[in-house]
């Protein structure tokens, strides 16, 4: 019991939440109560969570502005998808093919992350953002102009589609793996070194932190998980098109990270789920001529959230009614209740 009390449950709340979602939907799948649209939404949410958490490593914890995350995802989707398409005939469209595709896609994206991370050693802010944005557009253009026999060219790459009923399970398991790797990195001495670089690079260098190694580590790991998300995305489609991975998609992922809170993994998860659901809901509600309003409503909601999170005039309101304050109040009430009960017993005696 003492060991259970000493566990910091707040460090595991995201694991527990995703594991519960996984268990509930697996049970519903077994009784046939999960629709194809629901499993598709779960797949999309899981992929967005992996993208947001991995980008948060660079933007939130390392403090570098990257707009090339869609480019890393593109590399994983095309190369991993191509490997899966080639291996599907001899090995079958099973777990082994998927694992190999994920490993190859992650490794390919990690190499690109290393190449992009090199200029990050000398570039910061807007200059780094422009460099990473250019990388994403270059990668997308390269795959768009390949031959149909290699990566499909403008038509796109044909990829094998995994079992629609159960692929969301694999996606959610990959979310748990992503959280395990990145959260353990952040909570280690290496994570503290990464945060020190974000807070003050000069001071971090003066204390003996190897700035070069840690910046490269951040970009490589972030790119690798974006590549994994790309492979998962290729498995949710029959065709991977380079048009999907434009700069707007990189900005969307960045918006998820910013709305969730810089350096907040749980916030990135919640934001990824909320924005994915919002996009899907607006796409279903606003059809026909009203479809043009989707981006407008989406943008207005994002502007409202940004103003709420940053407006100085709302600072007192945010501090009074935020989630942490409400939890603290509940804890104080719970702690004061035994004292009240004890006083009541003495009075009755």
């Amino acid at each position: 019991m003492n060991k259970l009390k000493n566990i910091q449950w707040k460090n595991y709340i995201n694991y527990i939440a995703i594991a519960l979602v996984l268990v509930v939907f697996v049970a519903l799948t077994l009784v046939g109560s999960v629709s194809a649209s629901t499993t598709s939404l779960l797949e999309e949410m899981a992929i967005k969570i992996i993208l947001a958490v991995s980008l948060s490593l660079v933007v939130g914890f390392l403090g570098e502005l990257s707009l090339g995350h869609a480019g890393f995802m593109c590399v994983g989707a095309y190369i991993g998808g191509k490997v899966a398409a080639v291996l599907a005939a001899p090995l079958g469209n099973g777990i082994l093919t998927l694992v190999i595709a994920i490993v190859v896609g992650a490794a390919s994206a990690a190499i690109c992350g290393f190449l992009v991370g090199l200029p990050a050693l000398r570039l910061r802010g807007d200059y780094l953002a422009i460099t990473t944005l250019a990388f994403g557009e270059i990668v997308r253009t390269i795959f768009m102009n390949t031959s149909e026999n290699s990566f499909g060219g403008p038509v796109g790459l044909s990829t094998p589609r995994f079992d629609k009923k159960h692929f969301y399970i694999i996606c959610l398991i990959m979310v748990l793996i992503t959280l395990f790797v990145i959260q353990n990195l952040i909570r280690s001495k290496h994570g503290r070194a990464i945060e020190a670089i974000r807070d003050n690079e000069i001071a971090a260098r003066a204390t003996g932190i190897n700035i070069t190694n840690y910046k490269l580590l951040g970009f490589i790991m972030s790119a690798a998980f974006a590549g994994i998300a790309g492979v998962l995305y290729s498995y949710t489609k029959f065709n991977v098109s380079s048009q999907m991975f434009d700069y707007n998609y990189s900005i969307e992922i960045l918006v998820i990270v910013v709305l969730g809170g810089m350096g907040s993994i749980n916030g990135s998860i919640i934001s990824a789920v909320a924005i994915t659901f919002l996009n899907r809901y607006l796409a279903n509600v606003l059809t026909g001529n009203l479809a043009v309003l989707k981006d407008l409503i989406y943008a207005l909601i994002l502007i409202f959230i940004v103003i709420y999170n940053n407006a100085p005039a709302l600072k007192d309101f945010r501090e009074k009614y935020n989630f942490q304050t409400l939890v603290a109040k509940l804890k104080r009430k719970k702690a004061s209740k035994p004292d009240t009960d004890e006083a009541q017993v003495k009075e009755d005696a």
Side-chain angles (χ1 to χ4, degrees):
M1 290 296 294
N2 291 330
K3 290 183 178 180
L4 291 175
K5 289 182 179 180
N6 293 331
I7 295 176
Q8 295 183 352
W9 291 105
K10 65 179 182 179
N11 295 335
Y12 303 96
I13 188 67
N14 45 26
Y15 296 108
I16 296 170
I18 292 174
L20 284 175
V21 170
L22 181 59
V23 171
V24 168
F25 278 97
V26 167
L28 292 175
T29 301
L30 292 176
V31 298
S33 299
V34 180
S35 64
S37 61
T38 302
T39 58
S40 174
L41 181 61
L42 289 173
E43 292 170 359
E44 189 176 349
M45 285 181 176
I47 292 171
K48 285 284 180 63
I49 291 173
I50 295 173
L51 289 168
V53 172
S54 58
L55 182 60
S56 183
L57 177 62
V58 170
V59 176
F61 293 99
L62 187 58
E64 301 287 358
L65 181 58
S66 173
L67 292 177
H69 219 52
F72 299 127
M73 183 184 179
C74 180
V75 171
Y78 268 95
I79 297 182
K82 183 67 176 180
V83 169
V86 171
L87 295 179
L91 298 181
N93 187 23
I95 295 296
L96 179 59
T97 301
L98 174 61
V99 170
I100 295 174
I102 287 176
V103 171
V104 174
S108 303
I111 293 172
C112 293
F114 173 77
L115 297 176
V116 173
L118 288 176
L121 303 175
R122 295 184 177 275
L123 299 175
R124 291 186 65 83
D126 297 340
Y127 299 102
L128 179 60
I130 293 171
T131 302
T132 53
L133 181 63
F135 162 78
E137 289 300 300
I138 289 170
V139 167
R140 190 173 70 88
T141 304
I142 289 174
F143 283 114
M144 185 187 299
N145 290 280
T146 55
S147 64
E148 293 187 9
N149 294 328
S150 56
F151 291 99
V155 179
L157 175 67
S158 297
T159 56
R161 176 67 163 93
F162 209 79
D163 181 9
K164 290 184 178 180
K165 284 187 176 181
H166 305 105
F167 189 63
Y168 75 91
I169 299 174
I170 296 173
C171 293
L172 290 174
I173 290 173
M174 289 308 305
V175 169
L176 292 174
I177 294 173
T178 303
L179 291 175
F180 177 79
V181 173
I182 292 183
Q183 287 193 156
N184 279 282
L185 171 66
I186 295 302
R187 291 168 185 160
S188 68
K189 65 177 183 179
H190 305 294
R192 291 190 290 273
I194 289 173
E195 290 180 335
I197 295 171
R198 175 197 63 191
D199 295 336
N200 193 318
E201 186 173 327
I202 296 175
R205 182 179 284 107
T207 57
I209 294 175
N210 192 321
I211 305 295
T212 301
N213 287 351
Y214 281 114
K215 281 192 174 183
L216 288 176
L217 175 65
F219 273 93
I220 289 171
M221 288 195 63
S222 177
F225 282 104
I228 291 174
V231 176
L232 296 178
Y233 173 80
S234 72
Y235 263 82
T236 64
K237 308 290 181 182
F238 290 107
N239 182 274
V240 176
S241 175
S242 59
Q243 296 176 355
M244 161 68 185
F245 308 104
D246 61 1
Y247 67 91
N248 287 319
Y249 197 72
S250 289
I251 293 173
E252 181 180 344
I253 303 166
L254 180 62
V255 166
I256 291 174
V257 174
V258 172
L259 290 181
M262 302 293 281
S264 172
I265 291 179
N266 290 343
S268 295
I269 295 172
I270 295 171
S271 181
V273 171
I275 288 181
T276 304
F277 180 80
L278 178 63
N279 279 335
R280 179 69 68 90
Y281 179 78
L282 291 178
N284 292 334
V285 171
L286 301 175
T287 58
N289 294 331
L290 295 177
V292 295
L293 297 176
K294 173 179 172 291
D295 291 336
L296 176 61
I297 295 175
Y298 177 61
L300 289 174
I301 293 173
L302 294 182
I303 291 171
F304 172 78
I305 294 173
V306 170
I307 292 174
Y308 174 79
N309 289 334
N310 297 281
L314 299 175
K315 182 179 179 181
D316 294 337
F317 181 84
R318 291 195 302 267
E319 292 178 351
K320 187 176 180 180
Y321 295 103
N322 64 49
F323 179 75
Q324 292 180 348
T325 303
L326 294 175
V327 171
K329 286 182 179 179
L330 290 174
K331 287 183 178 179
R332 286 196 297 269
K333 287 183 179 179
K334 188 176 180 180
S336 63
K337 188 175 180 181
D339 297 336
T340 305
D341 294 341
E342 186 178 347
Q344 184 67 36
V345 170
K346 289 182 179 180
E347 185 178 342
D348 293 340

